[in-house]
Amino acid sequence: MRYRILVLICFAVTFTSCKKDDDNDVIVVPPSLLSDVAPEDDETIKEFLNTHFYNYEDFENNPEGYGVDYEIVIDTIAGDNAGKKPLMEDAVPFTLLVSSSHFGLSEEEEDIPHTYYFIEVREGEGGSPTYADSTLVKYQGSALDGTLFDENKDFTWRELPYDYRGFSNGISNLKAGTSDQVVENSDGTYQISNSGLGIIVMPSGLAAFNGSVGSAGTYAPVLFKVELGLFVEDTDSDNDGIPSIQEDLNGNGYLFDDNTNLDEESFSPLPNFRDPDDDGDGVSTWSEITDDNGNIIFPYPDSDGDGIPDYLDPDTN
């Protein structure tokens, strides 16, 4: 019976929607402005950070934090937890500039400041990746109310440029573990005993913005708990000899708006970090930066001395 009622309701909604469409009465709501949403998100995040805490005492009681598989647990400061230290006391803010073009929006907005907050829960014993590197991570993503939308409990490799900007830039603040501390579990999974742990809280403009974040909906600030195991230093996503981090030509922490020959790639554009021929001159980037023995030449060759390396200059090859 309940199934039949649900079917009838769905039919009624579909019929009504079609009727409105036929009458040209459909109201299309344009995406909100980045400049409007960013300050609202920041207020929401600050309130959350001031009213919630994580189980910092577990990690303080084991200063090294290694060899104990603690999970990050976040809860509200209230009742028996009224005296807990708020997340805000440990949160470090970082501001990135976001443009509407990053989300393919028609409304033109340039360089709107967005702030994410990073908390280091446990310092790893290795180095730190850049936002352009490939990383071995465990993570859990949720809305600020705890609604889970993504999780990976086992270590998995992720190329950070393809993740939310808040996620990729946030992870660059963590220190990883080291390969000599990789331990295989009986079930075939792995632990890295000296990995880094952290919390990243970001506004929707550094996440999905007007895209849906699972049941959290649109325009949702989100939170990630992250464990950073290992990373590939100077990841080269397109194997052209140029580390991906060096292909962020405008230095804005976003690799997809750096495309030297965008005008010639209207059908299927490739940003430089994914393009083995960055200037589109028909000569591979690798060929333009190496000698006859395949050794990379530093500084990168600039044949005509115009200040633009050959691999970015279609006038030289």
Side-chain angles (χ1 to χ4, degrees):
M1 180 64 179
R2 293 176 62 186
Y3 175 78
R4 292 178 61 191
I5 292 174
L6 180 60
V7 170
L8 289 173
I9 291 173
C10 291
F11 176 80
V13 170
T14 302
F15 177 79
T16 302
S17 299
C18 289
K19 184 175 186 300
K20 286 185 177 181
D21 185 62
D22 291 340
D23 295 340
N24 296 319
D25 290 334
V26 174
I27 299 175
V28 178
V29 179
S32 297
L33 296 176
L34 288 164
S35 54
D36 288 339
V37 176
E40 295 173 358
D41 280 356
D42 196 51
E43 287 302 312
T44 299
I45 290 172
K46 286 178 178 176
E47 180 180 1
F48 173 83
L49 294 174
N50 280 309
T51 55
H52 290 75
F53 74 102
Y54 78 96
N55 54 327
Y56 55 88
E57 291 166 321
D58 288 338
F59 298 93
E60 290 176 352
N61 292 334
N62 183 30
E64 293 299 322
Y66 306 123
V68 179
D69 193 19
Y70 286 130
E71 291 186 1
I72 300 171
V73 179
I74 296 176
D75 203 350
T76 305
I77 299 176
D80 293 340
N81 296 322
K84 299 294 186 181
K85 179 177 64 172
L87 291 165
M88 182 60 87
E89 288 194 20
D90 294 319
V92 180
F94 294 89
T95 299
L96 301 174
L97 300 179
V98 183
S99 299
S100 56
S101 59
H102 298 169
F103 294 98
L105 303 176
S106 58
E107 188 72 34
E108 292 187 10
E109 291 184 283
E110 297 292 330
D111 296 338
I112 307 302
H114 285 68
T115 300
Y116 73 88
Y117 296 82
F118 169 76
I119 297 170
E120 185 175 62
V121 173
R122 183 180 72 194
E123 184 178 16
E125 292 188 338
S128 294
T130 71
Y131 52 82
D133 285 334
S134 181
T135 56
L136 188 66
V137 294
K138 297 180 183 179
Y139 61 90
Q140 183 185 82
S142 67
L144 300 190
D145 64 2
T147 302
L148 189 67
F149 65 84
D150 193 12
E151 182 176 29
N152 198 315
K153 294 183 178 180
D154 298 326
F155 280 116
T156 184
W157 285 101
R158 298 190 69 91
E159 284 200 41
L160 294 182
Y162 292 95
D163 287 308
Y164 294 150
R165 283 186 70 193
F167 184 87
S168 59
N169 281 263
I171 284 183
S172 70
N173 299 296
L174 273 171
K175 289 185 178 180
T178 55
S179 58
D180 62 338
Q181 295 299 312
V182 177
V183 178
E184 184 174 3
N185 300 319
S186 58
D187 60 0
T189 60
Y190 292 87
Q191 286 180 294
I192 300 174
S193 59
N194 60 353
S195 58
L197 291 170
I199 301 169
I200 310 166
V201 187
M202 67 195 73
S204 61
L206 294 178
F209 194 55
N210 63 319
S212 180
V213 183
S215 57
T218 57
Y219 306 110
V222 296
L223 177 152
F224 279 92
K225 303 171 186 176
V226 182
E227 180 176 356
L228 175 60
L230 303 172
F231 71 99
V232 177
E233 187 173 4
D234 287 334
T235 296
D236 181 4
S237 294
D238 53 8
N239 295 310
D240 65 354
I242 308 291
S244 295
I245 188 63
Q246 293 183 22
E247 309 226 52
D248 182 10
L249 301 181
N250 57 19
N252 67 351
Y254 181 70
L255 293 172
F256 286 90
D257 63 356
D258 297 279
N259 190 339
T260 302
N261 61 323
L262 178 61
D263 293 341
E264 290 79 33
E265 293 184 317
S266 56
F267 177 69
S268 182
L270 284 175
N272 284 8
F273 86 104
R274 296 297 298 159
D275 191 347
D277 178 11
D278 290 321
D279 57 6
D281 62 357
V283 180
S284 71
T285 294
W286 176 262
S287 297
E288 293 186 280
I289 66 170
T290 56
D291 60 23
D292 293 339
N293 296 317
N295 300 309
I296 296 178
I297 304 169
F298 294 106
Y300 300 128
D302 176 13
S303 300
D304 57 8
D306 63 355
I308 303 174
D310 292 350
Y311 80 94
L312 295 176
D313 190 347
D315 295 329
T316 58
N317 53 57

